[in-house]
């Protein structure tokens, strides 16, 4: 940290040819940078901006160029000496970090790597007037940037959001929009929950029934699960992404520095797949794609046929997703069928396993070995701890932070997503007119107060906590508008926890965040984001 202070001092010093007067203007950046100094004055953007970027910063340059072009500005490549916007490498900066120095004449962005420069550009974007978010053919002649010195880097290497597209399906344009929001907030992982009891959403060429059959259910529950009698809408519902759609979305995400983690659930939440291929289950019985929410007993049976199926599915999945992680689920797999299945019981004996939990561990470990052989790492929900962790698995701690603590103590990487702070399908307000949600209560304040690092961990163990993720299960989100309503503004709080780090002085920091959030609504308005009105005053 001390190094960084020295660094920021040097930046201030080197930019200080002209006397700079401090300004007390407050900026509305979310997530807030680590260190920020604002000066009096402004940098006026020219219609054509002389631009220079060192090699390796194409991600940042391309985003900037496309973003500015929409409002009639353009970058004109120039020599460094003649440029007004410069992106340069500084290998002393932290990973994904950047410094941004804006004075009246020059915008100087320095980064260690491509990600850092991209985040620096996202900061520039947020420093620019919100009107630039809108397509606008003529540049405003007085578009300005405040004069700043910023030193910035992320607290956590994993900053993620999840989206369940199985309970309700969202088309590829919405998925892209969702990814674009993550990028704006300096998040870097999109966890795409693609398979479920109620719908399989990814085309697998080898198993066409996964899309002709498993992607559709006969009807959907109306209202909340707990309402009696339960009523259904009688309408066939579904959809899926072709492999071409997926390639398009992956390419789009790459341009925004977002890695997609596909989730292919096993051994549970597999009813839609088993519905198409009943031989994958223990009973072989024909079952429908689920129409109700919840946890179902029809899970994959760990027989050779099932492993062959999963390996073939995963072989297609790994070719579509270039990121290092594949999420294999692992949550909520009831063991009733395994207890009554002669194959499962014989396998437990043959492998010398203690019980069905160890059988699940055998299942996941076998899949991990397969994926590791393809150069991929697995992530699983915290139930994968039961019966013993697969050797290289990363644990997503959702039921609480306990699973994450146990995994970190076993020297496994952890992503924190506890229901208490990170489930954006919970209610965010106690207002009685709140639209239907699954239950729970996770207010903006609660999200902002999250500390992904549990006090129980030693300094050595803390390194295994990679960061936090917000989960968006869509049983009660039928529309894109509803997803945005549940995600915003809570995602803004989470982005700050992940990027800036957990708040050290909660009262003060949260009050400051709420002020910035109020101003940030202007940007969300221009972007037409359907954010909930719960801005911390509910
Ligand atoms: C989960 O919420 N079932 C991971
Ligand atoms: Zn079985």
């Amino acid at each position: 940290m001390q190094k960084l202070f020295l660094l920021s001092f040097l930046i201030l010093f080197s930019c200080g040819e002209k006397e700079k007067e401090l300004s007390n203007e407050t900026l509305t950046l979310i997530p807030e940078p680590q260190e920020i100094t604002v000066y009096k004055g402004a940098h006026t953007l020219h219609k054509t901006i002389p631009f220079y970027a060192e090699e390796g910063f194409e991600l940042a340059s391309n985003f900037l160029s496309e973003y500015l072009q929409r409002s009639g500005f353009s970058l004109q490549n120039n020599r460094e000496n003649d440029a007004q916007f410069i992106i340069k490498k500084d290998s002393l900066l932290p990973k994904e970090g950047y410094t941004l120095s804006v004075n009246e004449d020059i915008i100087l962005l320095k980064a260690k790597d491509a990600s850092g420069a991209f985040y620096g550009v996202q900061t520039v974007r947020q420093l620019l007037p919100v009107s630039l978010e809108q397509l606008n053919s003529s540049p405003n002649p007085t578009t300005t940037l405040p004069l700043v010195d910023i030193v910035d880097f992320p607290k956590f290497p994993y900053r993620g959001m999840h989206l369940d597209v199985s309970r309700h399906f969202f088309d590829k344009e919405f998925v892209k929009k969702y990814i674009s929001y993550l990028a704006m907030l300096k998040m870097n992982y999109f966890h795409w929950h693609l398979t479920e009891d109620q719908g399989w959403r990814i085309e697998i060429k080898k198993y066409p029934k996964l899309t002709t059959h498993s992607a559709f259910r006969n009807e959907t529950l109306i209202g909340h699960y707990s309402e009696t009698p339960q009523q259904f809408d009688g309408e066939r519902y579904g959809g899926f992404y072709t492999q071409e759609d997926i390639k398009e979305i992956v390419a789009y995400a790459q341009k925004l520095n977002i890695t997609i983690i596909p989730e292919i659930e096993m051994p549970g939440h597999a009813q839609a797949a088993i519905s198409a291929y009943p031989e994958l289950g223990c009973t072989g019985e024909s079952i429908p794609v689920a129409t109700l929410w919840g946890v179902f007993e029809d899970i994959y049976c760990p027989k050779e046929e099932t492993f062959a199926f999963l390996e073939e599915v995963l072989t297609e999945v790994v070719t579509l997703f270039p990121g290092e992680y594949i999420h294999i689920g692992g949550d909520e797999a009831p063991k009733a069928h395994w207890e009554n299945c002669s194959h499962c019981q014989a396998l437990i004996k043959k492998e010398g396993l203690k019980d069905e939990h160890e059988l699940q561990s055998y299942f996941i470990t076998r899949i991990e070995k397969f994926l590791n052989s393809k150069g991929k790492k697995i992530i699983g929900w915290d139930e994968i701890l039961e019966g013993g962790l697969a050797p290289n698995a990363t644990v997503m701690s959702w039921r609480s932070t306990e699973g994450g603590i146990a995994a970190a103590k076993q020297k496994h990487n952890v992503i924190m997503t506890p229901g208490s702070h990170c489930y954006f399908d919970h209610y965010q307000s106690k207002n009685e007119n709140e639209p239907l949600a699954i239950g729970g209560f996770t207010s903006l304040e609660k999200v902002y107060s999250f500390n992904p690092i549990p006090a129980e961990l030693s300094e050595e163990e803390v390194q295994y906590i990679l960061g936090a993720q917000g989960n968006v299960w869509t049983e009660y989100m039928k529309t894109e508008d509803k997803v945005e309503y549940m995600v915003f503004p809570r995602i803004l709080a989470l982005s700050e926890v992940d990027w800036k780090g957990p708040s050290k002085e909660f009262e003060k920091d949260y009050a400051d965040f709420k002020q910035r959030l109020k101003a940030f609504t202007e940007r969300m308005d221009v972007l037409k984001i359907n954010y909930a009105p719960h801005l911390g005053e509910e």
Side-chain angles (χ1 to χ4, degrees):
M1 200 53 97
Q2 227 160 17
K3 224 192 252 165
L4 277 162
F5 277 118
L6 181 64
L7 199 67
S8 56
F9 175 74
L10 288 174
I11 289 159
L12 293 179
F13 197 71
S14 62
C15 296
E17 300 100 28
K18 266 188 263 168
E19 195 69 19
K20 286 187 182 173
E21 238 185 290
L22 291 179
S23 157
N24 52 15
E25 183 191 353
T26 49
L27 303 178
T28 57
L29 298 170
I30 297 180
E32 188 172 58
Q34 303 293 349
E35 289 177 42
I36 179 159
T37 314
V38 191
Y39 305 96
K40 286 190 175 152
H43 176 105
T44 302
L45 229 53
H46 295 274
K47 184 174 183 302
T48 303
I49 304 161
F51 178 76
Y52 172 82
E54 281 182 7
E55 227 172 88
F57 296 123
E58 291 74 18
L59 208 60
S61 310
N62 291 341
F63 181 91
L64 182 68
S65 170
E66 281 176 30
Y67 186 76
L68 291 174
Q69 232 162 42
R70 302 183 323 167
S71 314
F73 291 93
S74 64
L75 299 179
Q76 184 184 64
N77 286 323
N78 244 282
R79 291 185 325 177
E80 182 181 348
N81 284 347
D82 302 323
Q84 280 182 351
F85 198 131
I86 299 169
I87 306 182
K88 291 188 69 150
K89 189 173 175 79
D90 183 344
S91 46
L92 293 178
L93 289 171
K95 243 177 135 180
E96 299 189 89
Y98 67 93
T99 59
L100 176 68
S101 171
V102 181
N103 64 30
E104 267 140 18
D105 309 312
I106 306 272
I107 300 166
L108 176 61
L109 171 58
K110 290 186 181 176
K112 181 197 187 76
D113 50 33
S115 299
F118 182 82
Y119 297 131
V121 165
Q122 293 307 317
T123 296
V124 170
R125 169 191 184 173
Q126 289 197 19
L127 289 171
L128 284 165
V130 297
S131 58
L132 268 71
E133 297 285 357
Q134 214 163 21
L135 290 175
N136 172 2
S137 54
S138 56
N140 182 335
T142 55
T143 297
T144 61
L145 278 168
L147 304 188
V148 291
D149 275 313
I150 291 176
V151 180
D152 203 11
F153 54 91
K155 166 75 178 170
F156 293 105
Y158 186 103
R159 307 176 297 280
M161 280 296 291
H162 152 284
L163 182 65
D164 164 17
V165 294
S166 296
R167 272 52 176 268
H168 283 101
F169 177 71
F170 302 96
D171 70 19
K172 78 178 173 199
E173 291 313 318
F174 181 72
V175 174
K176 288 200 230 167
K177 196 154 56 154
Y178 192 85
I179 288 170
S180 75
Y181 299 151
L182 272 51
M184 175 173 71
L185 299 170
K186 301 187 174 77
M187 291 182 149
N188 57 353
Y189 284 97
F190 170 50
H191 171 177
W192 200 3
H193 186 82
L194 286 163
T195 72
E196 258 304 335
D197 301 305
Q198 299 85 1
W200 181 285
R201 305 284 175 230
I202 172 172
E203 179 191 21
I204 301 295
K205 305 258 192 213
K206 179 108 193 188
Y207 293 97
K209 283 198 279 180
L210 289 174
T211 37
T212 57
H213 177 92
S214 308
F216 298 89
R217 59 178 177 256
N218 287 335
E219 55 185 358
T220 303
L221 182 73
I222 298 171
H224 197 270
Y225 181 93
S226 60
E227 286 168 23
T228 49
Q230 284 177 331
Q231 289 186 58
F232 294 83
D233 64 8
E235 285 171 32
R236 184 170 149 86
Y237 179 92
F240 62 91
Y241 308 98
T242 64
Q243 294 201 353
E244 285 310 306
D245 291 338
I246 289 178
K247 285 179 199 161
E248 186 182 323
I249 292 168
V250 166
Y252 178 83
Q254 277 176 326
K255 282 173 64 176
L256 295 178
N257 203 42
I258 301 278
T259 301
I260 302 183
I261 301 174
E263 180 177 357
I264 306 296
E265 273 263 20
M266 63 191 78
H269 289 295
Q271 188 167 320
I274 296 170
S275 175
Y277 300 100
E279 62 275 19
L280 301 174
C282 288
T283 66
E285 276 168 26
S286 161
I287 48 169
V289 175
T291 56
L292 195 60
W293 317 129
V295 173
F296 297 87
E297 290 191 346
D298 284 285
I299 69 172
Y300 291 123
C301 178
K303 50 193 166 193
E304 289 310 310
E305 221 170 330
T306 305
F307 286 112
F309 165 83
L310 288 171
E311 289 181 6
E312 280 162 350
V313 165
L314 291 169
T315 297
E316 292 191 32
V317 169
V318 301
T319 59
L320 291 168
F321 294 94
E324 64 177 339
Y325 292 117
I326 304 288
H327 200 303
I328 50 73
D331 60 321
E332 299 179 321
K335 305 297 186 295
H337 284 207
W338 287 6
E339 284 161 13
N340 296 309
C341 168
S342 57
H343 169 78
C344 288
Q345 292 306 312
L347 186 57
I348 287 176
K349 268 215 186 86
K350 175 168 164 257
E351 295 293 330
L353 306 172
K354 202 168 78 209
D355 57 15
E356 288 72 21
H357 292 299
E358 288 199 1
L359 182 56
Q360 169 151 338
S361 172
Y362 165 87
F363 192 121
I364 301 294
T365 300
R366 197 163 150 174
I367 293 293
E368 175 180 72
K369 213 164 158 187
F370 175 75
L371 284 169
N372 286 170
S373 80
K374 299 269 179 198
K376 302 291 185 183
K377 295 183 189 167
I378 69 160
I379 301 178
W381 299 109
D382 58 52
E383 286 94 328
I384 66 167
L385 280 149
E386 295 162 6
L389 263 183
N392 308 308
T394 294
V395 171
M396 212 167 244
S397 192
W398 73 279
R399 290 177 294 181
S400 68
T401 53
E402 294 302 311
I405 294 167
K409 287 190 180 293
Q410 294 177 43
K411 303 188 190 306
H412 279 252
N413 284 336
V414 172
I415 296 155
M416 286 296 189
T417 66
S420 54
H421 297 77
C422 296
Y423 268 48
F424 295 171
D425 57 341
H426 290 174
Y427 283 103
Q428 55 194 310
S429 159
K430 297 210 160 133
N431 186 324
E432 58 186 30
N433 298 320
E434 203 56 17
L436 184 68
I438 196 163
F441 179 60
T442 303
S443 64
L444 180 73
E445 182 171 5
K446 193 87 193 267
V447 179
Y448 198 82
S449 72
F450 185 46
N451 184 349
I453 298 179
E456 290 87 339
L457 296 184
S458 70
E459 231 171 275
E460 167 9 68
E461 289 157 353
V462 160
Q463 65 175 302
Y464 295 105
I465 308 297
L466 301 183
Q469 173 177 289
N471 289 342
V472 184
W473 302 102
T474 58
E475 287 94 332
Y476 300 96
M477 302 179 208
K478 279 184 199 295
T479 64
E480 298 169 2
D481 270 0
K482 182 79 177 279
V483 171
E484 290 186 354
Y485 183 92
M486 298 304 281
V487 166
F488 287 88
R490 290 182 284 193
I491 187 177
L492 301 172
L494 184 69
S495 78
E496 195 147 305
V497 168
D498 264 332
W499 181 273
K500 184 151 197 207
S503 152
K504 294 190 181 81
E505 288 177 75
F506 184 76
E507 300 275 307
K508 179 175 155 289
D509 293 344
Y510 185 56
D512 180 79
F513 169 73
K514 283 194 291 186
Q515 284 305 110
R516 280 180 286 122
L517 172 58
K518 279 209 187 78
F520 202 84
T521 57
E522 281 182 40
R523 191 169 298 273
M524 294 195 282
D525 287 335
V526 176
L527 286 166
K528 298 193 167 53
I529 295 173
N530 183 43
Y531 56 91
H534 312 302
L535 305 179
E537 307 296 343
E538 59 280 307

